[in-house]
Structures are given as structure tokens and as C-alpha cells.
């Protein structure tokens, strides 16, 4: 049954990303023009990420920050606040900056729903338990993203990712997808959950 669900998931990814790219193309064109007019450098931000089974690929985003090659190569997030532009803030709040990843979905590097792709530097520090998040294609949105996202520590985000993989179904994907739309409309804080670990190392929610 899981194999059938994965096959259906891939068909949904191909169909959804194709239709999505057609529908949002005017939005991407307008966003690209605004980026070009407000900051120098490339319109798209590309970065090497780790996908399913440690396969490397380049993730695509619309650029929201001023170019700083040293900070980008060294994953230095301390400068992000100063580098973020006014247009970039809007693109991030509306998630428009993430829309080019539909191309990643179409070619098979990513899925519409799944654990967010990370960088090799972080993977190198994973435990065997955490490496389980690489058992499925990374997604544009995921269980961690609809339950707190960046307000959660990395460990909790990974726990959500593994919970998603273990309980994957098309129904769960649909719930995450529609909750993502709600978050874009109403903001992440309204959907924040805190996960804690009890004395038996079992994950509980508050």
C-alpha cells in the first residue's frame, strides 16, 4: 500500500507542479522584476541541498537578500537581518520566494510535501535516528513547517519530519498542503505547537 501511495504522490507532484508553474508564472515575473529593480545580483538564489538518500541537488528560490558570497558559502546567518530587503520581506511572508521550487518538484529532486531539504554540513552531525528524514524526497512544505517551522529548534523539526515519514499517506499530504495555505494567509504563530520529550524519550505535544 505504501508503494502505491508513493506512486500516487509522484503523479500528484508532476501534475501539481506543472499546473502550479503555469498559474503562478505572472506572479514570478512580477517578483523577478521587483527583485531586479531593488537589488543588484541574480534574481534566483541557488544552493546545494541534500535530498533523498543523500542525493545532492540545487534548490531554487527567489532572492530576498543582498548578495554576500562569503556569508552564503559559510552559512553565516548572523548577517541575514541586515541583508534582507523590503521586497524580500514581502516575498518571504507570502512564501512567493519558495515558488521556484516547483521546478525542483517537477524534475524529481523534491516533492510538494516532505521534510525540508537541508545542507550537507548539518547531515554530517545527524544521529542514525535523524538520518531517517532522508528516506523520502524533501518537500516544499512539511509537517514541521505547519507546526511552528522556524520557531521550533532543529531537533523538534527533525522529529516532526520523521513522524511524517513513518505516518505518510496521501491524506496526510493533503492536510499539510491545505494547512500551509492557511498559514500563508493567517501567519505561522497561530499554528505553533511545542513538542517536548518526556523521561521515556517519547515525544509529546503541548
Amino acid at each position: 500500500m505504501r508503494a502505491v501511495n508513493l506512486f500516487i504522490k509522484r503523479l500528484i507532484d508532476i501534475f501539481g507542479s506543472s499546473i502550479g508553474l503555469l498559474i503562478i508564472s505572472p506572479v514570478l515575473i512580477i517578483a523577478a522584476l521587483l527583485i531586479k529593480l531593488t537589488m543588484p545580483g541574480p534574481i534566483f538564489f541557488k544552493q546545494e541541498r541534500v535530498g533523498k538518500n543523500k542525493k545532492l541537488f540545487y534548490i531554487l528560490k527567489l532572492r530576498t537578500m543582498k548578495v554576500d558570497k562569503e556569508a552564503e558559502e559559510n552559512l553565516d546567518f548572523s548577517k541575514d537581518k541586515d541583508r534582507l530587503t523590503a521586497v524580500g520581506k514581502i516575498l518571504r511572508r507570502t512564501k512567493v520566494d519558495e515558488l521556484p521550487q516547483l521546478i525542483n518538484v517537477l524534475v524529481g529532486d523534491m516533492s510538494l510535501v516532505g521534510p525540508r531539504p537541508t545542507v550537507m554540513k548539518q547531515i554530517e552531525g545527524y544521529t542514525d535516528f535523524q538520518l531517517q528524514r532522508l528516506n523520502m524526497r524533501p518537500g516544499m512544505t512539511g509537517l514541521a513547517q505547519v507546526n511552528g517551522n522556524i520557531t521550533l529548534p532543529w531537533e523538534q523539526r527533525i522529529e516532526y519530519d520523521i513522524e511524517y515519514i513513518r505516518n505518510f499517506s496521501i491524506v496526510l499530504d493533503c492536510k499539510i498542503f491545505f494547512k500551509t495555505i492557511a498559514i500563508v494567509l493567517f501567519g505561522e504563530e497561530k499554528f505553533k505547537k511545542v513538542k517536548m520529550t518526556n523521561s521515556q524519550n517519547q515525544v509529546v505535544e503541548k
Side-chain angles (χ1 to χ4, degrees), residues 106-120:
L106 184 61
V107 301
D109 291 326
M110 293 177 61
S111 177
L112 293 174
V113 180
R116 285 295 293 166
T118 188
V119 294
M120 183 58 74

Side-chain angles (χ1 to χ4, degrees), residues 3-20 105-106 108 110-112 137 168 170 173:
V4 173
N5 278 335
L6 287 171
F7 177 74
I8 295 172
K9 179 180 176 69
R10 182 58 190 147
L11 290 180
I12 293 173
D13 284 343
I14 295 172
F15 179 77
S17 59
S18 300
I19 298 299
V105 174
L106 184 61
M110 293 177 61
S111 177
L112 293 174
R137 284 190 180 95
F168 159 71
I170 299 300
D173 273 18

Side-chain angles (χ1 to χ4, degrees), residues 92-95 141-149 175-193:
R92 286 194 175 191
R93 169 61 186 86
T94 57
K95 306 296 184 183
T141 186
L143 193 60
Q145 282 62 54
V146 298
N147 284 290
N149 199 12
K175 289 180 179 178
I176 293 171
F177 179 79
F178 287 112
K179 193 173 180 180
T180 299
I181 294 175
I183 286 173
V184 171
L185 294 175
F186 303 111
E188 291 179 336
E189 284 300 318
K190 294 183 181 295
F191 298 88
K192 181 181 177 182
K193 289 184 180 179

Side-chain angles (χ1 to χ4, degrees), residues 10-133:
R10 182 58 190 147
L11 290 180
I12 293 173
D13 284 343
I14 295 172
F15 179 77
S17 59
S18 300
I19 298 299
L21 284 168
L22 287 174
I23 293 173
I24 67 165
S25 55
V27 176
L28 290 178
I29 292 171
I30 293 171
L33 288 173
L34 289 173
I35 292 170
K36 201 65 180 176
L37 290 172
T38 57
M39 73 176 101
I43 293 171
F44 293 99
F45 170 76
K46 295 197 302 181
Q47 188 181 61
E48 189 177 73
R49 296 291 178 94
V50 184
K52 181 181 178 182
N53 299 325
K54 294 187 178 181
K55 177 187 175 183
L56 299 177
F57 70 97
Y58 282 95
I59 195 171
L60 295 174
K61 294 185 180 184
L62 289 173
R63 181 170 288 280
T64 59
M65 295 190 291
K66 300 172 185 176
V67 176
D68 186 331
K69 291 185 178 180
E70 183 178 352
E72 292 170 11
E73 290 174 359
N74 297 323
L75 303 178
D76 182 2
F77 305 115
S78 63
K79 302 178 181 178
D80 285 5
K81 187 176 180 180
D82 294 329
R83 294 172 59 205
L84 187 63
T85 66
V87 170
K89 289 179 182 178
I90 296 173
L91 295 179
R92 286 194 175 191
R93 169 61 186 86
T94 57
K95 306 296 184 183
V96 170
D97 64 316
E98 306 281 357
L99 293 180
Q101 288 164 45
L102 287 170
I103 297 172
N104 290 119
V105 174
L106 184 61
V107 301
D109 291 326
M110 293 177 61
S111 177
L112 293 174
V113 180
R116 285 295 293 166
T118 188
V119 294
M120 183 58 74
K121 185 176 181 180
Q122 188 178 43
I123 297 295
E124 291 170 351
Y126 275 7
T127 63
D128 289 341
F129 172 79
Q130 293 172 328
L131 282 171
Q132 292 179 78
R133 78 188 299 267

